[in-house]
Amino acid sequence: GQSLEQPSEVTAVEGAIVQINCTYQTSGFYGLSWYQQHDGGAPTFLSYNALDGLEETGRFSSFLSRSDSYGYLLLQELQMKDSASYFCAVANTGFQKLVFGTGTRLLVSP
Amino acid sequence: DADVTQTPRNRITKTGKRIMLECSQTKGHDRMYWYRQDPGLGLQLIYYSFDVKDINKGEISDGYSVSRQAQAKFSLSLESAIPNQTALYFCATGNLGDNEQFFGPGTRLTVL
């Protein structure tokens, strides 16, 4: 089977940096994705890591360590609009499908 | 126009009724997926399809069926709806070789 663990909630203030961790247990691991979902909205893709290391996309970065079955999403210069739920998702071999974690709700305060 | 559309956006029905949720896409993607999301939980895969002749069960397919009528259309049916199928349902699309899935706006289904 496959399972992912991420914190249920994280709080931070505007301008701060926050890291959302994700640990996974899976067979046939292909890569780790991150999605953002605002309340009432659809999930939207943020990043994908297939190899170990850090991928940077603007204010957001994502890290993967395959040997530790661990990844994280790093959000810098937090803005109020970053308040949302963030999901990690494991892609299986061949990227046939995704298995999602239960999500981390990020609350950004002024 | 939205690339991935879902109809209806909201539906209230009664236990035992047959319900069909529809998904259409203009992205030209081969792969289509149906997910269910319960409050406070992640997305669970119900069914997925890689082309018109390919249908695969996901994690939670019991009580659901699907039809891939065309490359652009993928419908989800609840043959006899039950209250614990009350949830938010998302359709998504993707392409072979891409690592991103594109989600529709969702259908909020309530079974009384």
Side-chain angles (χ1 to χ4, degrees), chain B residues 61-98:
Chain B
S61 58
D62 287 348
Y64 302 95
S65 62
V66 292
S67 174
R68 185 83 183 266
Q69 302 94 321
Q71 187 204 32
K73 295 184 182 297
F74 193 35
S75 60
L76 175 72
S77 294
L78 289 68
E79 296 301 325
S80 179
I82 57 177
N84 76 1
Q85 291 178 312
T86 293
L88 187 56
Y89 290 85
F90 286 102
C91 172
T93 72
N95 248 352
L96 178 65
D98 288 344

Side-chain angles (χ1 to χ4, degrees), chain A residues 33 35 37 41-43 45 48 87 94-102, chain B residues 31 33 35 37 40-43 45 48 50 90 98-101 103-104:
Chain A
S33 299
Y35 284 78
Q37 184 181 30
F45 174 81
Y48 174 73
F87 296 89
F95 210 98
Q96 294 181 357
K97 57 183 180 178
L98 293 174
V99 176
F100 283 81
T102 53
Chain B
R31 301 182 173 195
Y33 306 81
Y35 291 92
Q37 187 175 34
L41 297 180
L43 296 105
L45 184 62
Y48 60 105
F50 289 165
F90 286 102
D98 288 344
N99 53 44
E100 177 177 357
Q101 290 187 10
F103 285 79

Side-chain angles (χ1 to χ4, degrees), chain A residues 26-55:
Chain A
T26 185
S27 58
F29 178 85
Y30 199 70
L32 187 69
S33 299
W34 289 91
Y35 284 78
Q36 178 192 60
Q37 184 181 30
H38 286 99
D39 285 347
T44 56
F45 174 81
L46 291 176
S47 68
Y48 174 73
N49 294 68
L51 303 175
D52 286 358
L54 191 68
E55 295 278 345

